Amino acid sequence: MTGFAELVAATNYSFLRGASHPSDMVARAIELGMTGIGIADRNTVAGVVRAYVALRDAREKLTGQELPPFDFRLVVGARLVFVDGTPDIIAYPETRLGWGRLTRLLTKGNLRAVKGDCILKFEDLLEYLDDISFIVLPATSGEAQQAHRKPVDYPSDIPALRLVSSSDENSLSGTLRRLRSKAPGRVWLGTSIGLVGNDARQLARLKRLADLVDVPLLATNDALYAEPAQRPLHDVLSCIRLGSTIADAGRALEANAERHLKSPAEMARLFRTCPEAIAETQKFLARIHFTLDDLRYEYPHEPVPRGRKPLAYLFHLVKQAAQERYGAVLPPKVRKSLAEEFRLIRKRNYAYYFLTVYDLVRFARDQKPPILCQGRGSAANSIVCFLLGVTSVDPLEHNLLFSRFVSEDRNEPPDIDVDFEHERREEVMQYVYGRYGRHRAGIAATVIHYRQRSTIREVGKALGFSEDVTDRLSGTIWGSWDGKDVPEERLTEAGFDPSNPRMMQLKELADQLLTFPRHLSQHVGGFVLTEDRLDETVPIHHAAMKDRSFIEWDKDDIDALELMKVDVLALGMLTCIRKSFDLMRDHGLGDQTLELDLEAADTAVYDMLCKGDSVGVFQVESRAQINMLPRLRPRSLYDLTIQVAIVRPGPIEGDMVHPYLRRRNKEEAVHFPSPAIEHGRPDELHEVLGKTLGVPLFQEQVMRLAIVAAQFSNSEANQLRRAMATFKNLGTIDTFRDKMVEGMVARGYARDFAERCFKQIEGFGSYGFPESHALSFARLVYVSAWLKCHHPAVFTCALLNSQPMGFYAPAQLVRDAREHGVEVRGIDINASEYDNRLERRKDDQLALRLGFRQIDGFRKEWAKQLVAARGAGFFHVEQLAQRAGLPSRALRLLADSDACGSIGLKRRDALWEARRTPQGILPLFAHAEAAELGEEARIELPTMAFSEEVVTDYQVTRLSLKGHPMQFLRSTFEREGVLSCVEASKATEGKIQRVAGVVLVRQRPGKGNALFITLEDETGITNVLLWARDFERYRREVMAARLMEVEGEIQRSKEGVTHLIARRVFDRSELLSRLTDGHPLRLPPSPADGAKNPSDPRHGHPRNVRILPRSRDFH
Amino acid sequence: MRPADLHLKSNCFAVAPVPRDHAGEWSGIVTDVLSGNRRYLAIWFPFLPADRLRRNPPKSSASALEGVPFAFVEKVKGALRLTGVDARAQSFGMVPGLTLADARARVPQLLAFDADDHADRDWLKRLAQSCLRYTPMVAFDDPDGLILDITGCAHLLGGEEKLTADVSRRLAMIGMTTRTAVAGTSAASRALARYSQTDGDERAAIRRLPVTALDLEAEISLALIRAGLKTIGDMAIRPMAALAARFGGETVERLRHLLGEVERPIVPIHPPAPVMAQRRFAEPIARTEYTLTVLGELAAEVGLRMEQEHVGGRHFVATFFRSDGLSRTLSIETGRPVRDADAVIRLFRERIDGLSDPIDPGFGFDLIRLEVPVIEQLPAAQLKLEGEATIEVQAAALIDRLSTRLGRDRVFKLAPCDTHIPEQAQLALPAVEACSPVAAWPVTDTGEPPARPIHLFDPPQPIEVIAEVPDGPPRRFRWRGTWHEMRRFEGPERIASEWWKRRDGVIGKTGLTRDYYRIEDERGRRFWVFRHGLFGEKPDPKWYLQGLFA
């Protein structure tokens, strides 16, 4: 029997058509004993790398088990689906050149269409058909596609919008004839036996046709999934695609489950009247020489000046920088490191890559004003990166190993990620497109997967569940639950019976659909650059965002193919730091750069941090970090590195935090776990865990542990690392559990330690910090803490001007600044600008003047007009209206925000004046109109109560310099015996107390065993901890309260941090409405922590509308 | 005394022909007498959608509504947001505008239903109809209220308070939560019903209303409050010109309306009909026959009046007011003016017979009214039917006649169904009911033999078969005692079962697959047979004959 290979196999990257993962298709094909498989998705090659990786891993596994490799070929290509009625054609490149043609063809189609669609006509194929073999299928599966209105950088030919019905020209025989004449010997006619009744006649007809046009017939099953059991899932996918329900879809669904991968024997039986069609699959396979391994590509040459060799030029740059830093004679250590790095760079030919990154960084720094940037991630292990100015930490000082960045055993390209100021990153991105051209630069894709919510919603809809049921199942409860399937408790929790048959169907299908790719989106900033045309390596798509284009492979694919990418990322703190430096320069406080105090040795800064005084400071400002600071007491940059890395899911879930703290505080001896004596040196972990007192905290320490303690081979460790990176999606990590834990136990390690290490790996999943990355971040922690410590006014001003960013809302930032002795001045029409700014006080201190940007809805151009027209100042509202030409809305906002103080108008009087100024008068008539406004009898308005002033401040600017709403309720609470926050912090430990305050943050971190709630009042804040088991009882109060009263036990850690362990929770929000005559008061929401901030209720009575703004919640 | 007054006393608003004014403006008899001193009753249904739903719960969740908070949701910019809540949900702090996800995070047991403005509107309409028992001047106060002009009507029920109490009582009987208020302008009654927290003197109560009662844009309301003008009273004592300059003419206009300084007429849901008769019953009547008798008497009454005027009715509306406050309206239309009571009653009887939901008298009707909103001169000559009917009309007429003569369940029309399962692919519907088909008939390619036989056995007939495994055609088979030798065949056509109709989940339990074969026997007869189950699915699958080809 000759072999058989399925050459028309779709995967779930044929979105909503294929019902199996590429890896499953490959695995099943191997299992069935095929000689190969051809992966061809609809107008895309997005899934082929996954198939390639699956095959590679399968081979690696065999090598690991010392089994002989099997003979199996993976060929990759695409199913071309045309809009002009041409039958579908499967295209497999025979060579690298053919691959380039195919990807260019797909790019052409993609760029004509809007995101996700692809417009191809048969004529397009004729331009690109060399070096490609084709299988023509009997019919088209085309659908109407949407044309892009402005295809980027592409000659505008007329896009075909609608499907053209098949004419003779496009009919099967016509297509075969034309294609055969252009590509002789490379065309096959694919036929399948789908058990539709007339298969025998169909086969005979195609055979006649094949003979007539002289192309061989090729047997295929046009597979959509790996196994017949996947038919229900495929039906559901079809329903999702068609937007119908399973009951209504009818004949739009496949009649049977035949489109799975069939064994060679079964195929031979089906094609018993035509065995040559089976044999043709082998002939076809033999023609294809291309594999994805051939995609070696060259890095752009641009950054090297004419006449210089890249390596020499790189060496020149680095040497110059080294001599500047270390002196003309380089220390031996530096020389040694440089020699080692250059050896690898030369060997691997990475010079261009380093120079490209250098080029980006240089571009950013050469801007006027410069854009701050700093490398993150493992690049900080490289002294070359440091000397090129890409990263800011000297790896020699911290004994960072280059091999963690690029290593000889790990056959992986370097990955340099650079952060830029978030407000100006787009400039860098457009520079990249501009410098390399859109055909050579593309952003990586991000594959958006089905998540629990979307899965349940869509499967539910397809199965005909009503929306309220699916919403109830998917949307109600906190966040999504991680993992591979939909837990039954979730169904029970939502009030459904998991044993109900319809629920079972929903659950089973949703479980299967979870982790399917849903669509492609663009990565946040990972660029792939090439010397040659990028579209000859991978197809390019339009991004939904204007002026962006992206390639259809994601980060993992790029890694797997060893392509290099540069991550151009955005970081808000860099914007803030740059603005701080600008302010310092403007106010004569010196000209600083990110290199300020490279030693990071200012004790004042550490003193401040040790007190937990870190609001606004990069990375260490969250509640958890603030609680950790006094316990860890950082005194050096490396301590900050640990501080940044330790409050993360990895170390927390691995239960490594407390051991580390105990050891650091000398309450526990530093002890290194060691293997049994017969298995190795007892100090084998010293080197791995030395810096962290024997406790693994960083990502790479755990990886080293796997190698050293569990004796993983390098390739296994690599697989583990890969599994870690993709853990969330694929769940392959479990397979490593036994190996690691048992491996360590077998060598005499304590099981408990081994399991904690593995837990940590799981926790690292996607949130682990490698040491070098944490170090880079620690630099920014130091810089921002330094600014906060020495220039609090500058720092707060810059933070406010960089919003939205960070963890706290302006109200908290301003409050913190005032607590640090900064005078904060209110918004005023005669003093403020759009941005917040600094004013020199009489005593030469700096005061912070709030800017118009703090007013909700106040436009930047209004502020510009106002400042330009200010001159010697305004004296009354009419003048403001006329001179600045402000619309009445702007005037009203200014009056509402009490910004007319300098012209002697209180808020209410200013508003009375402002509202009188008519709307929308032409400037020409403004003067004439103004005269008429003159006379009006004085109307007495009631004086605004102080509480109302504060409340209005919050309503308009989300913060008040005058007071806090809680102070007006203090007497009420005092009568009830409720403590203020400051009283609570002094209360006796163990006592049951009640505290009330405005809710700032609700968080449910990690595994969700506890909820952390932060309450604020006029005296300070209180940290509340509510155990999850009590949460259900107080769910409504916890979720709805804007003013919350909590009864609980006072607990104090030995560092003096007070917590209130909640026993009862009360919603006291109604008190707030008393303050305001029942109209809404908005307290500032805190912006970060993944909060979903539902906007204000749309309608309803002001008295029903909420008083305080959202706090920052979790969902 | 003027006739209008007389009619008011008998609570019979109109006798024969009163010239109709243009719709939307009341210029009838009542105004002439009593204008300038009007009284309005505003009824607010704070939980209109919720009360409606509780009264007519969807089948699936009828029992689930008991004691459970629920809300109505609508998709706004991609998020499901609450548009209305029930009292219980409101007590949990749910307010319109909240996203469903947020609401559920707080109250997980919250039930959500799609907001249905049409249903709400229809329900409000029915409520409005039922209020016609008090006055013909009932207007909508969108979206969830009614305003009744009760000028001169209150004394019939013993005064405003008694009338208000009667309204509330009747509405409460059908499960409606209400808030009511009576005032001298429609705006004031509305504002009092919706915003007033206090009882007492009407004037004072109006002045105590918050400025939000003006229903201004949120921005203006907020500005008024910021300016310290928090109640209607605060505004009323300040010069209107100054207010108008700052808060717009509309604001002042509304204020004046609320204060009773200006009047705006309400727009009644329908103006009183030119001809009307009604009968009240001390004891509610429940029997349909008696109801029809009464209707007949009323028809005779209006017929008599129309005869005097030489007019006939083209449109007759009967309204049955139930003692529990609900009402039901039936109307008939005629191609030509009619005033013959028998003819009218015959049409009403047909109408009642044809109702899908019969008139439910509940605890009985206490008022029946017959109105004739459209009247025309009754010509002496009869109209002729002219013009030729089309084929469809003729076919429809034939179907009507056949169905009437043979019985509606005996005349069928086949309709295609969109499914792969052969016996379910068409549906025989009573021909009188058949409407346009949902699915299209499958089309066989030209040159292809028919894919389905002309005759289908239902249920398929079991046959004994000798066949190849796994998926060969029957070599021989025995049907009705006779053996047939297969000479030629085509197939299999594999049709998998519809797994979603199975009761036991999905995985590995998708049901039996059928393999269909077209078989020609030695005498050239063609059969359609299938094997029920693949060999993988079932150890010994059965064979059936499902059809015969022509």
Side-chain angles (χ1 to χ4, degrees), chain B residues 340-360:
Chain B
D340 175 20
D342 287 346
V344 171
I345 285 306
R346 213 163 35 238
L347 289 167
F348 268 113
R349 270 185 194 280
E350 268 175 48
R351 184 81 183 77
I352 289 168
D353 289 345
L355 286 178
S356 52
D357 53 332
I359 305 178
D360 173 13

Side-chain angles (χ1 to χ4, degrees), chain B residues 9 39 52 60 80 84 104 165 261-262 266 283 342 380 405 410 412 416 418 434 475-476 481 520:
Chain B
K9 276 187 184 143
R39 300 298 290 164
R52 165 181 66 77
S60 55
L80 283 174
R104 285 261 173 80
E261 292 177 18
V262 292
I266 59 169
E283 282 295 310
D342 287 346
R405 193 166 304 162
R410 292 188 178 175
F412 290 111
D418 194 9
R475 293 277 156 214
R476 315 176 62 200
E520 190 176 304

Side-chain angles (χ1 to χ4, degrees), chain B residues 31 40 67 92 149 168 263 279 291 303 316 336 352 394 396 409 449 474 499 535 543 547:
Chain B
T31 320
Y40 293 92
F92 282 135
D149 183 343
S168 300
E263 173 62 309
R279 191 151 303 171
T291 312
F316 293 81
R336 56 189 192 86
I352 289 168
Q394 287 175 353
D409 296 337
W499 54 267
F535 278 89
W543 285 84

Side-chain angles (χ1 to χ4, degrees), chain A residues 808-1065:
Chain A
Y808 295 99
Q812 280 104 54
L813 296 174
V814 165
R815 176 182 182 143
D816 185 68
R818 294 173 96 189
E819 280 167 9
H820 286 80
V822 176
E823 183 196 342
V824 182
R825 297 174 174 173
I827 304 168
D828 195 288
I829 50 168
N830 279 323
S832 292
E833 293 173 7
Y834 178 71
D835 278 330
N836 301 284
R837 59 191 204 89
L838 297 171
E839 289 174 356
R840 216 25 109 176
R841 290 192 343 179
K842 290 208 180 75
D843 63 358
D844 213 32
Q845 294 294 306
L846 288 174
L848 172 60
R849 171 69 73 178
L850 296 182
F852 299 122
R853 68 182 289 150
Q854 300 307 133
I855 307 175
D856 268 5
F858 199 84
R859 295 200 195 142
K860 199 169 181 173
E861 56 276 19
W862 296 342
K864 272 195 192 147
Q865 281 165 260
L866 189 153
V867 172
R870 186 145 61 197
F874 301 108
F875 299 99
H876 47 84
V877 174
E878 271 179 64
Q879 199 184 18
L880 177 67
Q882 288 165 27
R883 284 223 315 253
L886 291 182
S888 61
R889 170 153 172 75
L891 291 177
R892 290 170 187 188
L893 282 171
L894 287 171
D896 271 348
S897 54
D898 204 7
C900 299
S902 60
I903 54 173
L905 283 180
K906 294 206 156 199
R907 190 195 311 261
R908 193 161 270 174
D909 302 318
L911 181 67
W912 196 249
E913 280 303 305
R915 286 200 77 90
R916 196 175 161 219
T917 315
Q919 297 209 35
I921 347 159
L922 293 172
L924 191 62
F925 302 113
H927 193 72
E929 198 82 22
E932 280 174 41
L933 278 178
E935 305 303 316
E936 189 184 64
R938 172 112 183 102
I939 290 164
E940 283 303 321
L941 296 172
T943 341
M944 203 173 215
F946 186 42
S947 65
E948 215 178 330
E949 289 277 357
V950 172
V951 159
T952 312
D953 279 340
Y954 273 102
Q955 282 169 338
V956 182
T957 58
R958 295 171 188 242
L959 59 89
S960 175
L961 300 175
K962 303 185 183 91
H964 191 279
M966 281 296 290
Q967 76 195 66
F968 308 106
L969 302 170
R970 183 52 59 203
S971 56
T972 312
F973 282 119
E974 253 168 25
R975 273 199 301 280
E976 295 179 15
V978 175
L979 302 189
S980 70
C981 290
V982 73
E983 285 163 348
S985 68
K986 291 175 187 149
T988 327
E989 186 163 7
K991 276 198 101 169
I992 303 297
Q993 293 289 10
R994 281 181 296 152
V995 179
V998 166
V999 181
L1000 283 190
V1001 183
R1002 287 167 268 229
Q1003 273 185 301
R1004 190 175 190 175
K1007 290 179 190 157
N1009 298 334
L1011 274 88
F1012 296 100
I1013 302 164
T1014 309
L1015 302 181
E1016 184 196 59
D1017 69 6
E1018 74 279 17
T1019 65
I1021 56 154
T1022 298
N1023 295 310
V1024 176
L1025 185 148
L1026 175 70
W1027 293 112
R1029 59 172 182 268
D1030 296 327
F1031 167 60
E1032 276 311 316
R1033 194 151 28 116
Y1034 296 108
R1035 172 185 276 274
R1036 198 179 64 73
E1037 287 81 359
V1038 171
M1039 295 305 284
R1042 296 181 298 277
L1043 175 54
M1044 189 187 285
E1045 181 185 321
V1046 180
E1047 182 186 286
E1049 187 186 323
I1050 301 281
Q1051 254 186 30
R1052 194 165 292 119
S1053 70
K1054 53 180 175 296
E1055 293 80 15
V1057 183
T1058 307
H1059 273 89
L1060 187 66
I1061 313 298
R1063 299 201 315 187
R1064 297 206 284 165
V1065 180

